[in-house]
Amino acid sequence: MSTPALRRVVRRETHSPRTVAMFVAVVLLVLALAYVGLEIVLSLAAQPALLVGPGAAAGWLIGLPTFPAGLVIAGSVVLALIGLLFVVLAVTPGRLSKHTLEAGDRAIVVDNGVIASALAQHLAEETGIARDDITVGVGHRSVDVTMRPGAGIPLDRAEVQSAAEAELQTYRLTRTVRTHVRIERPIEKEDEL
């Protein structure tokens, strides 16, 4: 991925814009402001309020008990941090469940489900365990492998881990991922009398 145009294409394919979230937030804000404006206009026209008139809302705020200054400051800091979190989430793009593969001057973007399916199939062939007894989950930074061999079937976790890591190396992912392997043995039921 040497050219800037190719890097832009790969970024567009692996990241999602938060357009929908921003649209929903803006629509909710506009509706809230429209409601407040409508209540003010109804109050100025001496009409009954839809829910709560501006005078009743101000009276409710004034009637609240006074809080210690430390509690008010702590609450303000928490609200500011929540607002900052929303701003960061609105500005930064989301990540799609895809990985890029090293391919020289070409771009190859692969869905995480394809990687998981290929790895599970490889591990099934390597260990002799049925494909249905292997579950693979691929995330941005890790791969989780869960194997459920039948009773009495020997399976070494370290061998499975090394086989999974070796197979992932052949995929040439541009971002390195950690591999976690879990072997779940069936629980033998006690004989009931």
Side-chain angles (χ1 to χ4, degrees):
M1 288 192 294
S2 58
T3 65
L6 190 57
R7 282 193 298 268
R8 278 195 308 272
V9 169
V10 169
R11 181 157 175 83
R12 186 174 48 231
E13 291 297 319
T14 58
H15 290 75
S16 68
R18 300 200 191 256
T19 308
V20 174
M22 282 302 296
F23 179 75
V24 169
V26 167
V27 166
L28 290 176
L29 181 64
V30 166
L31 288 175
L33 291 175
Y35 167 73
V36 169
L38 179 64
E39 289 291 0
I40 290 172
V41 168
L42 288 175
S43 174
L44 291 174
Q47 297 295 320
L50 292 177
L51 295 177
V52 177
W60 178 79
L61 283 175
I62 292 170
L64 286 176
T66 58
F67 295 104
L71 186 62
V72 172
I73 291 172
S76 300
V77 168
V78 168
L79 286 176
L81 288 176
I82 291 172
L84 181 65
L85 175 69
F86 281 127
V87 168
V88 168
L89 287 176
V91 173
T92 59
R95 289 195 45 102
L96 296 174
S97 58
K98 296 181 180 182
H99 274 85
T100 57
L101 306 180
E102 292 177 10
D105 60 347
R106 298 182 310 165
I108 298 177
V109 178
V110 180
D111 189 72
N112 288 354
V114 173
I115 297 170
S117 179
L119 182 60
Q121 184 63 38
H122 173 75
L123 291 175
E125 293 167 359
E126 192 80 19
T127 60
I129 294 178
R131 169 65 181 87
D132 293 338
D133 293 332
I134 300 172
T135 304
V136 178
V138 178
H140 296 298
R141 294 185 181 95
S142 66
V143 174
D144 294 318
V145 179
T146 303
M147 301 190 75
R148 292 173 295 284
I153 298 175
L155 191 61
D156 184 28
R157 184 186 159 291
E159 288 178 9
V160 173
Q161 177 132 5
S162 64
E165 289 172 352
E167 181 67 12
L168 285 170
Q169 289 294 325
T170 65
Y171 298 162
R172 299 178 312 189
L173 300 174
T174 56
R175 171 174 276 173
T176 58
V177 292
R178 291 185 317 269
T179 306
H180 304 283
V181 175
R182 182 175 43 246
I183 309 245
E184 292 181 355
R185 298 282 179 187
I187 299 173
E188 296 180 15
K189 296 182 180 178
E190 296 181 16
D191 294 332
E192 295 181 10
L193 297 176

